[in-house]
Amino acid sequence: MSTILYARVSTADQTLHHQKTQAEQAGFVIDAVVSDHGVSGASTALRERPEGKRLFDMLRKGDTLVVRWVDRLGRNYQDVTDIIREFMGRGVIIRTVINNMTFDGSTTDPVQMAVRDALIAFMAATAQAQHEATKASQRAGIEAAKAEGKTYLGRKPSYDRKSFNAVIDMLGTGATSVSEIARVTGLTRQTVLRIKQDPAKAEALLATWGLA
């Protein structure tokens, strides 16, 4: 029986390192790490990702799949719920680093099953809602930049598209502090706070400088 960490990262290896470190600090003993880089969790199903395919082949009955949060599996409600139920049907235990949630298909108690399934549905719905809110903010930022034009660019942002996405991603979980996000992304705490306070404006600045 193995414990496998799956990580989907849109930035550099330091974000992968951060997820692995978080898992170990939470008490998980990781036997293997499987990670996909630069793959959308909303438009690309887990089994269609290069390493996601390998994950389906690796997991066996009795194994534990560890993810930072369910949004690492996907940001589409139906896809995430289907994935978790399929793995549970195989006898795989799914555990999250954040909030230490455990999803186990071995229970036969109807009340426990109902509570478990309700949690899965809620977490999957939250992952999709957060993604849609982020995309709406990005669209608003781009439109704002277009409306304002580029006659005065202002100060060039200290972040690029990858680091911006990483900040939004970690803020979306609500479980990572501003200081920790700054450390992981290499940005200043003030920059992370500015993105947090007005993501649309931060997005507009990227578009204005042609960094979108």
Side-chain angles (χ1 to χ4, degrees):
M1 293 184 289
S2 301
T3 299
I4 300 172
L5 172 68
Y6 176 74
R8 177 179 59 79
V9 295
S10 55
T11 56
D13 287 343
Q14 64 179 149
T15 306
L16 173 60
H17 175 73
H18 172 65
Q19 291 188 39
K20 185 173 186 291
T21 300
Q22 266 195 327
E24 291 171 341
Q25 289 176 342
F28 292 101
V29 178
I30 304 299
D31 297 310
V33 177
V34 177
S35 63
D36 279 302
H37 296 255
V39 178
S40 170
S43 60
T44 309
L46 180 64
R47 63 173 68 252
E48 296 173 358
R49 303 173 202 164
E51 291 300 292
K53 294 176 183 177
R54 189 162 73 90
L55 188 65
F56 277 90
D57 294 333
M58 290 175 63
L59 288 169
R60 298 288 184 268
K61 184 177 181 179
D63 288 346
T64 298
L65 171 63
V66 178
V67 290
R68 183 171 179 268
W69 190 242
V70 295
D71 64 356
R72 300 303 86 192
L73 297 175
R75 290 183 178 273
N76 175 278
Y77 172 83
Q78 194 63 55
D79 188 35
V80 173
T81 53
D82 287 349
I83 288 167
I84 294 178
R85 290 189 178 112
E86 177 175 342
F87 284 151
M88 288 195 304
R90 292 188 184 189
V92 175
I93 298 171
I94 299 96
R95 297 188 63 185
T96 68
V97 175
I98 296 174
N99 292 341
N100 193 27
M101 306 293 291
T102 300
F103 300 112
D104 187 347
S106 64
T107 182
T108 57
D109 181 271
V111 175
Q112 291 181 0
M113 290 170 65
V115 172
R116 178 201 65 200
D117 292 346
L119 278 172
I120 292 171
F122 174 76
M123 291 166 69
T126 300
Q128 180 171 333
Q130 287 174 343
H131 170 74
E132 291 174 353
T134 298
K135 295 303 290 183
S137 175
Q138 290 175 348
R139 286 193 296 270
I142 292 171
E143 289 304 314
K146 288 179 180 178
E148 292 174 4
K150 298 186 178 181
T151 53
Y152 174 67
L153 297 181
R155 180 181 296 178
K156 186 176 182 179
S158 58
Y159 51 90
D160 57 13
R161 167 59 60 190
K162 287 185 176 181
S163 55
F164 174 82
N165 287 344
V167 171
I168 294 298
D169 198 29
M170 285 185 275
L171 286 172
T173 68
T176 307
S177 69
V178 169
S179 296
E180 180 65 10
I181 293 173
R183 186 187 69 79
V184 171
T185 59
L187 301 175
T188 65
R189 190 172 183 277
Q190 289 71 24
T191 298
V192 175
L193 280 171
R194 283 196 295 272
I195 295 173
K196 179 180 180 181
Q197 290 165 359
D198 196 340
K201 183 177 180 180
E203 174 74 22
L205 195 55
L206 281 176
T208 299
W209 278 88
L211 301 174

